[in-house]
Amino acid sequence: MSSYTHGHAEAVLRSHRWRTVANSAAYLLPHLRPDQRLLDVGSGPGTITADLARLVGEVVALEINDEAADLTRAELERQGITNATVIVGDVLALDLADGDFDVVHAHQVLQHVADPVASLREMMRVARPGGLVAARDSDYGHFSWHPASAGLDRWLELYDAAARANGGEPHAGRMLLAWAHAAGANDVVASSSTWCFADADDRAWWGSLWADRVTSTALARQLVDEGSASPEELDDVAGAWRAWAADPDGWFSVLHGEVLVRA
């Protein structure tokens, strides 16, 4: 795994805990059954993992280190999930047997790994013949918003540079189909979907969390430490987020690419 650009600060977890199967894995829902064994790669704070565990027979959640794995465990315990276990490992070299899972799922993971093709190849390896590999990633280069904002333009420029410096690919959404083909997949269904933040409550939530993320997380520390931005400039970017959120015409769309790979 490359260095994780977002980190696990409260502002990041506030965003990630909002995610559910309904808003983040709807493309996979029709393919889930109660008799399946599922590997959830990059389970993070565990809200999607918990939803998946209610839909299949067994879930194994994978995280890169103990800190992240403990976040998943805490959420599963909070929700009373008993058919999921959490392990620590690297998607680039899974310590799992060939063909061990009916479904292998990853949400917002491949944009952060050093070699997404090799990661997909590993995910395909541990899926049973005829099983399913599902991946969904955002595409920062296709985010769009209104009204125009020089501050949000600068935010996107800074995020893109930071993610690439960490070995990631912030345009991952558009790359998923090509990465799946490069990994050797022949049976791939590609799609896209969006999150849209446009009413007052959604704008307030999305704008405030990004204002916090750009000033108080691993991303903020990286940008300052690398000399990409001063704390004062990041405060200005945060102000642009708050101004966008306060605008009754404010609208923001987050594009995601998705692939379903038949192993």
Side-chain angles (χ1 to χ4, degrees), residues 1 38-44 48-49 52 59-64 72 87 89-92 94 96 101 103-110 113 119-120 122-124 126 133-137:
M1 171 87 63
L38 183 147
L39 176 65
D40 190 24
V41 176
S43 50
I48 295 175
T49 313
L52 291 168
V59 170
V60 176
L62 179 85
E63 262 299 350
I64 191 64
T72 306
I87 62 174
D90 187 347
V91 67
L92 285 166
L94 294 170
L96 297 166
F101 296 91
V103 180
V104 183
H105 167 263
H107 185 260
Q108 311 288 27
V109 172
L110 296 178
V113 300
S119 299
L120 276 168
E122 274 290 89
M123 292 167 67
M124 292 164 60
V126 301
V133 173
R136 183 177 192 254
D137 271 274

Side-chain angles (χ1 to χ4, degrees), residues 15 35 64 97 203 207 233 237 256:
S15 171
D35 62 341
I64 191 64
R203 285 197 312 274
E233 182 179 16
V237 172
H256 298 86

Side-chain angles (χ1 to χ4, degrees), residues 67 137 206:
E67 177 191 10
D137 271 274
W206 186 243

Side-chain angles (χ1 to χ4, degrees), residues 18 47 53 107 124 167 211 219:
W18 167 82
T47 50
H107 185 260
M124 292 164 60
L219 171 62

